[in-house]
Amino acid sequence: MPPISPCRAAALLQSTRTPLQRVPRAAFVAVQRQRRAASTKHPKDFTPPTNDDLEELRERTIEFARREITYEVAQSTDHNNEFPNSMWQKLGEAGFLGLTADEDYGGLGMGYQAHCVVLEELSRASGSIGLSYAAHSQLCVNQLQLNGTDEQKRQFLPGLTSGEKIGALAMSEHNAGSDVVSMKTTAKESDGGYLLNGHKMWITNGPDAHYIIVYAKTDPDAGSKGMTAFIVDTSTKGFSCARKLDKLGMRGSNTGELLFDNVFVPTSNILGGVGKGVRVLMEGLDLERLVLSAGSLGLMKAALDVTLPYVHERKQFGAPLAHNQFIQGKLADMYTKYRASSAFTYSIARAIDESYEDPEIRTQDCAGAILYAAERATECGLDAIQCLGGMGYMNEMAAGRIMRDAKLYEIGAGTSEVRRMVIGRAFNKEFGTR
C-alpha cells in the first residue's frame, strides 16, 4: 500500500478573535496552563485532517479489511473465540495502532476523526477485532499519549504502535464496574515502587497484553483521591491471567480475569502521578466513549451489508423480499439509524479536532454519541436477523454475530443507564445544582 499522505496541508480556519484585553498576570498564567493542558488531547504538531485525508484513510482501511479480515477470518474469530494474533503486526504496519500518538513514537498524529474512521471500518469487518483494536489503540495507547511522561512514551509507545506489543487497560472488578471508587485492588509503597495486590475482571486483551494500564488504590481511605494508574509489564512476577472469559458476543476479542499477587511496579511506571488515577481515568473516558461509538457504526454498516443483498435476491410469493413494505420499513429504519448515529459521532470528533488548540470536550456529547449509536446498533442487528428469517438465525450467517457483538457497546465503557445518568449530571453541573 502506498504511504498515507501527510495530513498537514489544511490550515485551520481562524475565527474572529476578541480584541486583546489586559488581564492580571495570575489569571493569564492560569489560562495558558489550562490551554496547554487542553492541547495535550492531540499529538504534537497536530493539524486537523482534511476530508480528503479522512476519505483516503477510510479507503485504505476498507482495503485492509477486505484483504486481512475476510468473512472467514471474522467467523473463525467468533466461533473459535480466538483472536488472530498475527493481526497485531499487520495493523501496526498499516499505521492504525497509533492514530492519536506522536509521530516521534511511531504514531500518525491524525486525531479522533481518523481514529473513528479506522475503528468503524474494522468493526464493519469484525466487531471482535475492532474491539480489541480499540482497547489497544484508545484505552492503552491514547492514555499513554495523554498522560505519559516523555520517558514513558519513549519506552512503551514504539512497541505498541508497531504491533510488536499488545496493550490493555484494567479498571473493572467483580464488585466495581461502574462504581470505580469501590475497587479493592491496592498498591502499597515498597522499595523503589509499589506492590499491587488484587484482581481485575472483564479485561479486553487481558490474556494477551504485554503492557496494561492498571488502576489501584494507593490510599484506600482517600476515596477518589486515593487511586493511582500504573503501567504494568505482564512479564512481572506475580501477574497472571486466571482465566479467559467465554462471552455471548465479541468472541475472539480475548477477555480475561487478571490476578495481581505482589506485582512490583517501579515508581517510573506511575502514570499521571500518585493519587491522580481518577483524573487520568476521566482524562480519557470522554474520548474513549466517543471513539468506541464508531465501533457501533461499523456494526450497523455490517448489518446493512448482510441484509441488503439478501432481501433483494431472496424471493417469496414471486417477488424479492425487498419489495415487501414491511421489509422496506426495516431497511429504511436501519439506514436512518446508521446515518443519524454517524452524523452525531463525527460532528463531535470534528469539533474536538478542529478546536485542538483549546478543545471543549463535553461529557454529554461523548456519552450521548455512544449511548445513541450502541442502542441503535443492537436494533439494527435484530432487524438484520428478522429480515433474513430462518437464515438469520443460522450461525453460518453473520447477522447473529453482529447482533451479539453490538450488545457489548450498551454495557462496556459505562452501561446505557450510566451514560444517561452521566449526561443528566453534566447538565446539573452546568446549572450549578450538582
Side-chain angles (χ1 to χ4, degrees):
M1 294 169 65
I4 191 166
S5 60
C7 298
R8 301 289 176 265
L12 183 66
L13 292 175
Q14 298 295 315
S15 56
T16 307
R17 296 180 180 271
T18 358
L20 185 64
Q21 299 176 352
R22 292 187 177 277
V23 296
R25 177 174 172 76
F28 174 79
V29 170
V31 168
Q32 295 308 306
R33 282 178 179 164
Q34 184 180 20
R35 285 183 175 172
R36 280 200 299 274
S39 70
T40 61
K41 297 290 191 293
H42 288 85
K44 186 173 68 174
D45 300 325
F46 174 76
T47 300
T50 65
N51 287 336
D52 286 346
D53 293 329
L54 294 172
E55 189 55 37
E56 179 187 349
L57 179 64
R58 187 178 295 278
E59 289 171 4
R60 286 169 56 86
T61 311
I62 290 171
E63 177 56 33
F64 176 91
R66 283 176 180 159
R67 186 178 67 252
E68 305 292 351
I69 314 176
T70 61
Y71 171 81
E72 291 74 21
V73 169
Q75 286 288 86
S76 66
T77 299
D78 176 70
H79 292 173
N80 298 328
N81 193 24
E82 192 64 47
F83 191 91
N85 276 324
S86 62
M87 190 67 65
W88 288 114
Q89 287 197 290
K90 293 175 182 177
L91 289 165
E93 289 166 5
F96 297 154
L97 296 179
L99 286 162
T100 58
D102 290 344
E103 294 179 9
D104 295 348
Y105 309 116
L108 288 184
M110 288 188 70
Y112 298 102
Q113 294 176 89
H115 209 170
C116 288
V117 165
V118 172
L119 178 56
E120 178 180 356
E121 294 302 337
L122 294 180
S123 299
R124 182 183 185 182
S126 165
S128 301
I129 291 173
L131 180 64
S132 282
Y133 162 78
H136 174 102
S137 62
Q138 179 63 29
L139 278 66
C140 185
V141 170
N142 199 53
Q143 282 284 47
L144 282 166
Q145 170 67 29
L146 292 177
N147 298 285
T149 64
D150 289 342
E151 180 54 40
Q152 287 171 343
K153 292 177 184 179
R154 278 194 295 271
Q155 181 178 353
F156 298 111
L157 284 180
L160 289 167
T161 56
S162 69
E164 180 185 350
K165 304 293 185 182
I166 302 168
L169 181 146
M171 179 188 70
S172 296
E173 299 177 5
H174 282 286
N175 296 314
S178 299
D179 183 11
V180 180
V181 179
S182 68
M183 70 171 56
K184 302 299 183 188
T185 300
T186 61
K188 293 186 178 180
E189 198 164 2
S190 183
D191 194 15
Y194 287 79
L195 291 174
L196 270 61
N197 284 280
H199 75 279
K200 295 293 178 181
M201 188 65 173
W202 309 299
I203 307 306
T204 304
N205 294 347
D208 305 320
H210 299 92
Y211 304 132
I212 305 179
I213 297 173
V214 179
Y215 292 87
K217 286 193 172 179
T218 42
D219 185 353
D221 299 324
S224 62
K225 296 181 180 179
M227 283 172 50
T228 301
F230 297 89
I231 307 166
V232 174
D233 185 328
T234 59
S235 65
T236 306
K237 181 182 177 182
F239 172 86
S240 62
C241 179
R243 59 187 173 124
K244 178 175 154 182
L245 304 176
D246 187 11
K247 309 188 301 295
L248 170 71
M250 296 297 190
R251 296 174 59 77
S253 174
N254 295 336
T255 307
E257 179 180 7
L258 310 182
L259 300 181
F260 301 84
D261 181 11
N262 282 328
V263 175
F264 179 76
V265 183
T267 304
S268 60
N269 281 19
I270 292 173
L271 186 64
V274 176
K276 305 295 184 183
V278 168
R279 182 192 64 78
V280 172
L281 177 66
M282 299 312 293
E283 182 95 358
L285 190 55
D286 285 336
L287 295 168
E288 173 189 332
R289 286 173 172 153
L290 173 65
V291 171
L292 287 179
S293 70
S296 296
L297 299 183
L299 290 167
M300 281 187 261
K301 261 188 174 177
L304 285 164
D305 289 341
V306 168
T307 306
L308 284 168
Y310 186 87
V311 298
H312 283 88
E313 294 168 7
R314 167 84 164 159
K315 290 185 178 181
Q316 290 290 279
F317 305 106
L321 289 175
H323 291 189
N324 183 297
Q325 287 185 350
F326 284 113
I327 298 296
Q328 290 171 351
K330 288 189 181 296
L331 297 177
D333 288 345
M334 292 168 71
Y335 178 74
T336 304
K337 287 170 183 176
Y338 165 71
R339 291 290 291 176
S341 301
S342 178
F344 194 163
T345 291
Y346 284 104
S347 68
I348 303 305
R350 185 179 306 111
I352 291 172
D353 276 355
E354 292 185 351
S355 64
Y356 68 97
E357 291 179 320
D358 187 11
E360 181 184 13
I361 301 173
R362 288 161 52 91
T363 293
Q364 55 266 52
D365 289 341
C366 298
I370 192 169
L371 168 65
Y372 190 76
E375 293 186 347
R376 302 296 79 77
T378 302
E379 293 165 4
C380 287
L382 288 167
D383 280 345
I385 293 171
Q386 195 68 22
C387 286
L388 270 61
M391 286 308 298
Y393 206 66
M394 299 295 106
N395 281 332
E396 66 191 82
M397 299 295 284
R401 165 168 57 85
I402 293 165
M403 183 275 292
R404 289 184 284 107
D405 289 352
K407 188 63 184 174
L408 181 279
Y409 284 116
E410 294 185 60
I411 298 169
T415 63
S416 290
E417 291 74 19
V418 166
R419 292 165 193 162
R420 287 183 166 90
M421 186 171 66
V422 162
I423 292 168
R425 286 179 176 175
F427 288 130
N428 292 346
K429 185 178 179 181
E430 284 187 7
F431 282 81
T433 59
R434 186 177 179 179

